[in-house]
Amino acid sequence: MLFNNFATNINPHQAYRIKKLKSQLASAETYEEWKSIALKIDEESGAQEWKFDNCSPYFDAEIISERLNRLKRYRFQKRTHDLMYILREGLSYDIANIAHPMLFNATYVGTKKIIEDYVEEVSESLAYIASSSCICLSMEKKLEFFQQCKKAYGQPAIMFSGGATLGLFHTGVCKALLEQDLMPKVLSGSSAGAIMTTMLGTSKPSDITSLLNGENFFTEAFHFRKLGDILKGNGGFADVKYLKKFLIENLGDVTFEEAFKTSGLHINVAVAPYDTSQQARIMNTYTSPDLLVWSAVLASCAVPILFPPVKLTSKRYDGKLTPYMSNTRWVDGSVRSDFPQEKMARLYNLNYTIASQVNPHIVPFMQSDVERYRQDMMSWPERIVRRQGKVITKGIMDFARGRVGMFPPVRRLLDHGYGVIDQGYYGDLNIVGDYSLRHYTYMFQNPRPYLFKLLQREGERATWPKISSIETHARVGKTIQHCLELLSYQHDPEKKTAEFIAV
């Protein structure tokens, strides 16, 4: 938060009240309670006044103001074709840079008033075109317009990182987003994140609330092997049979194609061939429709050293289980593609991504939005050190890889390490765990009720400050989708009713 900018105008009584409110904020039990207290802090600190000042280096207020006035005028005058023209002209969630992360860090709740007004006006203008008040367009023309809008605007995705048992944090992120109806339809996960993704993606929508109560997660997924068995080779430190049993019990013999028909969610699981010369892949209903979901998740959880590489299993057209690319073994996708946003963007027409990051080797090095985007002179030394440190580390590892080719296990370990360093770990919005040394003791504990509740609550609390920006980003896309559903129902009510019953 950037409240230091407002601190100079705060008297001792205000400082005391803000301190007291922040204490209440830390113990809030629901998002509604958290938001109510956060708004009071914004008011007391003077941050609320920042919303009414259009001056900012992070977005172009002049463009937004001009478009806002034209939209209002065209809608009020019912100039439908002019309204459609200007809407098409700027159908982007980040037009004039209004989605810049720094615009959502000066206050706990909300952003610049002009941005909120603009998003609201775009939504109202779209709703007007879909309404019965708009009589100059036929139903077919309206449907065509909104179908084009949906394609142009795109959709969001959420990506869940790996992190072993710390992945229970993701359940809190999902719970907070679902309660606000902000959960994307496109999900990806690797390792522990793959478990979260597929638990949602193989469930009926009506079962997701009970799923997030946690009972399905309580298991003996981690069972460490005896030292004698480890020294014999042919495996990792943990026995993969226990994890495999847990996955089959919870996911069943369901393929990616069958999972999509059940949940309506596009789920993606990141896996990587054990042969590091091959690229990582994402498994989903498009790239591998016949692959068994549990099989892909098992591979995605095959962290080198902890679990051995595994082979994948698919379901043939007659229901028989057969090997998938039988000569290939697979490992954890997070070693080379923890967040496969580029691959997904081509398949799903993504406009922005939400990243839930709990990887224990990544979280301590992640920066907040303020640290990443600050532009003052004092930020440059750290920025240079980070960039050059990454370049130097990659160079050293690349040099070492070229010198140990005759030792395949060492070369493979260096290849995996290079993949960990080389990839990106940020989305457009980032929800990150707040770690202490205590969290590292949770990593390989089997999920238990107390641990589930603890990490889920941490996930919820980390998500609440992000709800405001996610709502702003999602508002127009949700309006387009709702208008399209309404028009489709009005155009063919019998078909839409049949689809609703089927779901």
Side-chain angles (χ1 to χ4, degrees):
M1 292 294 171
L2 300 179
F3 288 110
N4 290 337
N5 295 345
F6 310 113
T8 55
N9 298 321
I10 295 176
N11 61 49
H13 295 291
Q14 284 178 300
Y16 172 77
R17 289 196 295 269
I18 291 170
K19 183 179 179 179
K20 189 174 180 180
L21 286 168
K22 285 185 175 180
S23 176
Q24 295 173 8
L25 193 73
S27 59
E29 292 295 320
T30 65
Y31 174 65
E32 288 70 25
E33 182 184 354
W34 183 94
K35 183 178 179 180
S36 175
I37 298 169
L39 285 169
K40 292 177 183 177
I41 297 176
D42 286 344
E43 192 68 41
E44 284 284 352
S45 66
Q48 198 75 11
E49 297 173 10
W50 170 88
K51 296 181 179 181
F52 296 90
D53 180 4
N54 292 343
C55 295
S56 171
Y58 300 111
F59 83 112
D60 194 324
E62 186 177 342
I63 290 177
I64 296 303
S65 177
E66 189 268 342
R67 289 184 59 80
L68 175 60
N69 291 331
R70 287 173 65 189
L71 285 168
K72 285 182 176 179
R73 184 168 70 251
Y74 293 162
R75 181 168 62 87
F76 179 75
Q77 296 172 351
K78 298 189 176 181
R79 294 166 58 180
T80 303
H81 292 286
D82 288 331
L83 191 61
M84 292 167 65
Y85 181 85
I86 191 174
L87 284 169
R88 284 197 184 105
E89 189 180 63
L91 206 55
S92 169
Y93 88 101
D94 61 350
I95 182 173
N97 221 24
I98 61 173
H100 196 287
M102 291 295 278
L103 294 170
F104 296 89
N105 276 282
T107 59
Y108 277 102
V109 181
T111 182
K112 296 287 188 180
K113 184 68 165 55
I114 192 173
I115 294 176
E116 294 175 346
D117 289 345
Y118 175 76
V119 171
E120 175 71 19
E121 182 55 41
V122 171
S123 296
E124 290 190 11
S125 296
L126 289 165
Y128 162 73
I129 293 171
S131 72
S132 57
S133 301
C134 179
I135 58 176
C136 65
L137 294 176
S138 66
M139 182 64 68
E140 288 73 18
K141 286 292 184 182
K142 289 183 179 183
L143 278 168
E144 182 184 356
F145 171 75
F146 280 100
Q147 285 164 353
Q148 291 173 350
C149 287
K150 183 180 179 181
K151 184 175 290 188
Y153 197 77
Q155 64 178 325
I158 185 166
M159 307 177 295
F160 300 110
S161 77
T165 302
L166 294 173
L168 294 175
F169 175 96
H170 299 318
T171 66
V173 175
C174 292
K175 185 170 181 288
L177 293 178
L178 283 165
E179 287 175 349
Q180 303 304 315
D181 191 27
L182 293 172
M183 189 71 181
K185 298 293 185 183
V186 179
L187 302 81
S188 81
S190 58
S191 195
I195 297 176
M196 184 73 256
T197 297
T198 54
M199 293 279 266
L200 293 169
T202 56
S203 301
K204 294 179 181 178
S206 57
D207 296 335
I208 288 179
T209 301
S210 59
L211 171 69
L212 293 176
N213 288 335
E215 293 182 9
N216 298 64
F217 292 90
F218 305 149
T219 182
E220 297 291 332
F222 292 113
H223 187 87
F224 291 95
R225 301 167 69 211
K226 295 179 180 178
L227 181 61
D229 294 332
I230 294 173
L231 294 175
K232 291 177 183 177
N234 299 322
F237 286 104
D239 193 332
V240 74
K241 291 185 295 186
Y242 289 83
L243 178 59
K244 181 178 179 180
K245 180 184 176 184
F246 162 73
L247 294 174
I248 293 175
E249 285 178 351
N250 284 279
L251 303 177
D253 285 335
V254 175
T255 66
F256 278 93
E257 187 174 51
E258 293 167 342
F260 174 71
K261 291 177 181 177
T262 299
S263 67
L265 299 175
H266 292 282
I267 57 173
N268 299 265
V269 175
V271 297
Y274 187 53
D275 178 1
T276 52
S277 66
Q278 300 182 48
Q279 294 295 316
R281 290 181 57 182
I282 52 171
M283 303 304 194
N284 54 48
T285 189
Y286 296 124
T287 62
S288 51
D290 302 319
L291 181 64
L292 292 180
V293 173
W294 70 257
S295 174
V297 178
L298 186 66
S300 193
C301 290
V303 181
I305 302 176
L306 184 62
F307 289 114
V310 302
K311 291 191 174 183
L312 298 176
T313 306
S314 60
K315 186 191 291 186
R316 212 167 63 176
Y317 56 87
D318 58 2
K320 183 178 179 180
L321 303 186
T322 59
Y324 179 93
M325 296 182 63
S326 56
N327 294 327
T328 304
R329 292 185 298 165
W330 306 80
V331 295
D332 179 9
S334 65
V335 297
R336 271 176 273 166
S337 186
D338 200 28
F339 290 158
Q341 45 196 324
E342 290 184 10
K343 292 183 175 72
M344 291 196 301
R346 293 194 292 270
L347 288 173
Y348 302 109
N349 187 29
L350 302 184
N351 52 11
Y352 66 91
T353 55
I354 303 168
S356 178
Q357 178 60 262
V358 293
N359 250 321
H361 62 285
I362 300 300
V363 168
F365 302 100
M366 290 193 73
Q367 295 177 293
S368 67
D369 290 334
V370 175
E371 291 168 333
R372 288 176 70 202
Y373 292 104
R374 56 187 285 210
Q375 298 174 348
D376 57 282
M377 289 296 295
M378 295 302 294
S379 69
W380 281 102
E382 181 182 357
R383 191 170 299 178
I384 292 170
V385 168
R386 279 178 169 269
R387 288 180 181 174
Q388 294 307 311
K390 183 175 181 178
V391 171
I392 292 169
T393 303
K394 286 168 60 179
I396 293 171
M397 295 189 75
D398 201 29
F399 177 82
R401 288 193 302 171
R403 298 296 183 276
V404 297
M406 68 292 295
F407 304 108
V410 178
R411 170 62 190 255
R412 190 173 289 113
L413 190 62
L414 286 170
D415 285 340
H416 289 321
Y418 187 91
V420 169
I421 294 170
D422 190 43
Q423 60 181 294
Y425 292 98
Y426 291 95
D428 295 299
L429 294 109
N430 300 283
I431 303 170
V432 184
D434 184 14
Y435 280 5
S436 64
L437 290 176
R438 180 183 78 252
H439 286 79
Y440 291 88
T441 67
Y442 300 153
M443 277 183 58
F444 299 116
Q445 291 185 34
N446 284 303
R448 293 290 181 266
Y450 81 93
L451 189 56
F452 177 86
K453 290 180 180 178
L454 174 68
L455 292 173
Q456 184 179 73
R457 178 43 60 97
E458 288 186 6
E460 286 185 87
R461 290 188 181 280
T463 306
W464 290 343
K466 302 291 183 177
I467 292 290
S468 184
S469 57
I470 295 172
E471 279 180 332
T472 303
H473 292 0
R475 177 71 188 275
V476 173
K478 288 170 69 68
T479 300
I480 292 171
Q481 183 62 34
H482 291 162
C483 290
L484 195 52
E485 290 173 357
L486 174 66
L487 291 169
S488 298
Y489 176 78
Q490 292 174 346
H491 186 251
D492 194 348
E494 291 184 4
K495 180 180 178 182
K496 295 306 293 183
T497 302
E499 289 177 358
F500 177 79
I501 293 171
V503 173

